[in-house]
């Protein structure tokens, strides 16, 4: 066995240049992964060693060592969980079932209202799932009127007036896949939907559920879904938002991490299937790259009918500019600024207005005279800021359309948007060279 991680890495690169699929090569790669803290990958590589050469003793020894370490880690986690349970029982004894106070909670002491809490974690394991009680509703979202109507028809109406759906033997939709460029309202929509339903919002975040130890990621995913189902059963409604869905439901076709993601995807399939008909549970999965999500997760009954969240159009940008300058002394040609911010998302516009406000404040401070936010302030801010964040995203997606037929086939709304942007931003020669079929 090799004594040094540095030696292993040097030997691995030399060996891989000659023999790529030998037991020695897989073992060296596993050793490197283990030393870099990538335990799950190391285990898969050591197992690959044994598939190539079943009697390879060093790989057997490394696997035994990893297993022993994981067992000790699990014992520690169990002790931590027992400590948390004991602490919670003490709180209940002192303060009552609410855990903090025997006094009625919420307005009017309504104990049926969901309570807000933070996610509690220890050593990569979720011990308690956090819940958010959003204060936003659809009135806080500028634009996206068509999508708001769809969410009302598919979720809000059925959950707020179940008698109407029962009368017409119609079931409420269970899940939607939201996709589109970053910063265009996917997370805000989930918060507003929970606000409209007067329900809690539970977020499944990649950085919280993903853990390096085998099986822990799947347990964390189950814990979040189980809490969402329990919340929906207790309070009749709950919204579960899965952030960065492509990071968990990675398409296995062509993936270089198939062994690692197979178990995670299987867990997602189980949870989505078990939650599809759960009363009151609404699941929204958000991603910037829906074509990277495995097709099995997007089938009917799980996450069907992907919904495109477009960037703000001209009218919406005018409304956003007016919204973020509301109540300010201003002399702004909103239509002019909106025309110049085609590739700006809502956060980009917030940043633009904030920079323009600074200019107006400095002018008033230096002159000592009352001033106002002007069109020139915004134009100057535009000249100092880089292009909107949407430009790079659409360029990247356009490049992928050249080699990935799934994008124009499965996401026509996005593809048509790309076609329009390429046409608007290209010269006649470039348009001929980079033509995009919209038919």
């Amino acid at each position: 066995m090799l004594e040094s991680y540095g030696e292993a890495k040097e030997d691995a690169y030399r060996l891989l240049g000659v023999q790529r699929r030998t037991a020695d090569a897989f073992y060296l790669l596993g050793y490197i992964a283990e030393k870099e803290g990538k335990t799950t990958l190391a285990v898969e590589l050591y197992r690959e060693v044994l598939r190539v050469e079943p009697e390879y003793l060093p790989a057997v020894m490394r696997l035994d060592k990893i297993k022993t370490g994981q067992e000790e880690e699990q014992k520690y986690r169990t002790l931590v969980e027992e400590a948390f349970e004991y602490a919670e029982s003490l709180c209940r004894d002192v303060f009552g079932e609410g855990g903090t106070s025997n006094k009625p909670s919420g307005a009017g002491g309504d104990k049926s209202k969901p309570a807000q809490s933070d996610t509690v974690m220890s050593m990569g394991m979720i011990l308690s799932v956090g819940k958010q009680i959003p204060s936003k509703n659809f009135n806080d979202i500028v634009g996206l009127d068509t999508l708001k109507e769809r969410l009302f028809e598919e979720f809000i109406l059925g959950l707020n007036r179940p008698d109407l759906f029962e009368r017409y033997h119609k079931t409420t939709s269970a899940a939607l896949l939201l996709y589109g460029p970053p910063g265009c309202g996917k997370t805000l929509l989930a918060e507003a939907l929970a606000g409209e339903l007067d329900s809690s919002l539970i977020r499944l975040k990649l950085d919280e559920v993903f853990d390096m130890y085998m099986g822990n990621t799947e347990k964390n995913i189950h814990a979040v879904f189980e809490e969402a189902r329990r919340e929906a059963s207790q309070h009749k409604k709950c919204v579960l938002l899965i952030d960065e869905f492509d990071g968990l439901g990675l398409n296995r076709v062509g993936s270089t991490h198939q062994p690692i993601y197979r178990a995670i995807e299987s867990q997602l399939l189980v949870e989505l299937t078990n939650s599809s008909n759960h009363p009151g549970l609404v699941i929204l999965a958000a991603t910037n790259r829906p074509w990277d999500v495995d097709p099995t997760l997007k089938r009917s009954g799980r996450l069907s009918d992907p919904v495109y969240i477009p960037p703000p159009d001209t009218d919406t940008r005018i409304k956003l500019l007016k919204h973020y300058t509301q109540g300010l002394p201003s002399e702004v040609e909103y239509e002019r600024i909106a025309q110049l911010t085609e590739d700006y998302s809502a956060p980009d516009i917030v940043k633009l207005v904030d920079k323009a406000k600074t200019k107006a404040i400095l002018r008033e401070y230096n002159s000592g005279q009352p001033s106002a936010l002007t069109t020139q302030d915004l134009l100057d801010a535009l000249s100092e800021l880089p292009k909107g964040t949407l430009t790079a995203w659409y360029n990247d997606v356009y490049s992928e359309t050249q080699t990935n037929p799934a994008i124009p086939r499965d996401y026509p709304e996005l593809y048509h948007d790309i076609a329009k942007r390429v046409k608007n931003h290209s010269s006649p020669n470039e348009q001929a060279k980079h033509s995009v079929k919209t038919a």
Side-chain angles (χ1 to χ4, degrees):
M1 288 181 61
L2 292 164
E3 301 293 334
S4 163
Y5 163 61
E7 292 176 7
K9 205 162 188 177
E10 291 176 6
D11 288 347
Y13 292 144
R14 283 196 294 269
L15 183 60
L16 287 172
V18 181
Q19 298 172 311
R20 291 184 177 275
R21 296 193 62 81
T22 64
D24 289 336
F26 282 121
Y27 175 75
L28 288 168
L29 288 171
Y31 188 86
I32 291 169
E34 185 181 353
K35 289 299 181 181
E36 291 180 346
K38 303 172 182 176
T39 308
T40 303
L41 178 59
V43 168
E44 291 295 335
L45 289 165
Y46 289 145
R47 287 175 176 171
E48 192 64 32
V49 171
L50 299 180
R51 280 192 282 269
V52 176
E53 192 175 323
E55 303 299 325
Y56 198 97
L57 185 59
V60 174
M61 295 175 64
R62 300 308 303 176
L63 283 171
D64 286 342
K65 185 173 181 180
I66 291 174
K67 181 180 179 183
T68 302
Q70 289 179 333
E71 288 174 349
E72 292 297 321
E73 179 71 20
Q74 189 58 47
K75 289 179 182 178
Y76 176 78
R77 293 175 193 275
T78 301
L79 289 173
V80 172
E81 289 175 8
E82 290 174 353
F84 267 95
E85 290 175 1
Y86 179 65
E88 288 176 354
S89 67
L90 286 177
C91 288
R92 284 194 294 271
D93 291 340
V94 176
F95 298 114
E97 289 299 318
T100 56
S101 174
N102 282 322
K103 296 177 181 180
S105 60
D110 183 5
K111 293 186 179 181
S112 67
K113 299 282 285 186
Q116 184 156 310
S117 60
D118 295 324
T119 297
V120 178
M121 301 191 68
S122 174
M123 303 298 291
M125 291 286 288
I126 293 178
L127 304 182
S128 175
V129 178
K131 295 183 285 290
Q132 179 183 351
I133 311 299
S135 58
K136 297 180 175 64
N137 56 39
F138 284 167
N139 292 329
D140 296 301
I141 299 179
V142 179
L144 299 178
D145 294 333
T146 301
L147 183 54
K148 288 187 230 177
E149 290 178 8
R150 178 170 179 175
L151 292 176
F152 175 80
E153 294 170 1
E154 295 197 17
F155 298 110
I156 299 171
L157 185 58
L159 291 174
N160 286 345
R161 289 292 307 276
D163 56 308
L164 289 177
F165 274 51
E166 290 174 6
R167 182 180 176 186
Y168 288 92
H169 305 288
K170 178 175 171 56
T171 58
T172 307
S173 297
L176 280 181
L177 177 62
L178 307 178
Y179 77 95
C184 290
K186 296 184 288 294
T187 301
L188 181 60
L189 270 170
E191 293 178 358
L193 177 60
E196 292 285 337
L197 290 170
D198 196 23
S199 74
S200 59
L201 172 68
I202 293 177
R203 296 179 65 173
L204 193 159
K205 301 178 183 179
L206 182 63
D207 61 337
E208 289 184 351
V209 300
F210 200 83
D211 188 69
M212 62 184 287
Y213 291 103
M214 292 182 64
N216 285 353
T217 301
E218 296 91 306
K219 291 177 183 176
N220 287 338
I221 290 172
H222 174 72
V224 174
F225 271 89
E226 188 65 19
E227 181 61 29
R229 288 190 287 263
R230 182 163 46 246
E231 187 76 7
S233 297
Q234 182 177 355
H235 300 291
K236 309 301 182 184
K237 305 166 192 173
C238 179
V239 177
L240 172 61
L241 171 64
I242 308 176
D243 281 329
E244 300 177 271
F245 189 60
D246 53 292
L248 289 171
L250 185 68
N251 192 339
R252 290 182 292 179
V253 178
S255 170
T256 58
H257 303 287
Q258 291 184 34
I260 298 174
Y261 280 91
R262 188 174 295 117
I264 296 175
E265 185 199 328
S266 297
Q267 188 67 43
L268 279 172
L269 287 171
V270 169
E271 300 299 341
L272 287 170
T273 301
N274 290 343
S275 304
S276 60
N277 295 316
H278 194 92
L281 179 57
V282 175
I283 300 174
L284 299 178
T287 176
N288 300 332
R289 303 176 59 83
W291 47 90
D292 284 344
V293 176
D294 197 277
T296 57
L297 294 168
K298 296 182 284 188
R299 289 177 185 165
S300 180
R302 292 169 185 151
L303 289 170
S304 57
D305 299 331
V307 178
Y308 177 51
I309 311 296
D313 57 20
T314 303
D315 289 339
T316 302
R317 292 196 299 276
I318 291 172
K319 292 177 183 177
L320 285 168
L321 287 165
K322 290 181 177 180
H323 175 75
Y324 292 119
T325 58
Q326 186 176 4
L328 303 178
S330 60
E331 301 168 2
V332 176
E333 299 173 65
Y334 293 106
E335 292 80 1
R336 181 180 176 187
I337 301 300
Q339 292 292 341
L340 297 171
T341 52
E342 182 179 0
D343 285 327
Y344 274 54
S345 65
D348 293 333
I349 290 176
V350 171
K351 188 175 180 180
L352 171 67
V353 172
D354 191 62
K355 194 169 187 65
K357 287 178 183 177
T358 301
K359 294 183 177 299
I361 290 170
L362 287 173
R363 183 172 59 252
E364 183 165 331
Y365 174 77
N366 292 328
S367 68
Q369 299 296 322
S371 185
L373 184 72
T374 66
T375 302
Q376 191 59 48
D377 291 328
L378 288 161
L379 292 173
D380 291 342
L382 271 172
S383 66
E384 296 174 13
L385 290 172
K387 288 185 177 180
T389 55
L390 300 180
T391 303
W393 188 83
Y394 276 103
N395 286 342
D396 289 343
V397 176
Y398 170 67
S399 298
E400 287 197 53
T401 62
Q402 309 305 300
T403 56
N404 188 348
I407 297 176
R409 183 189 66 232
D410 298 337
Y411 310 101
E413 291 177 287
L414 169 62
Y415 194 55
H416 291 165
D417 204 356
I418 294 171
K420 180 181 67 176
R421 289 170 183 275
V422 170
K423 182 178 180 180
N424 289 345
H425 292 292
S426 299
S427 66
N429 290 337
E430 289 174 326
Q431 290 177 33
K433 183 179 178 180
H434 304 294
S435 61
V436 179
K437 296 179 180 179
T438 60

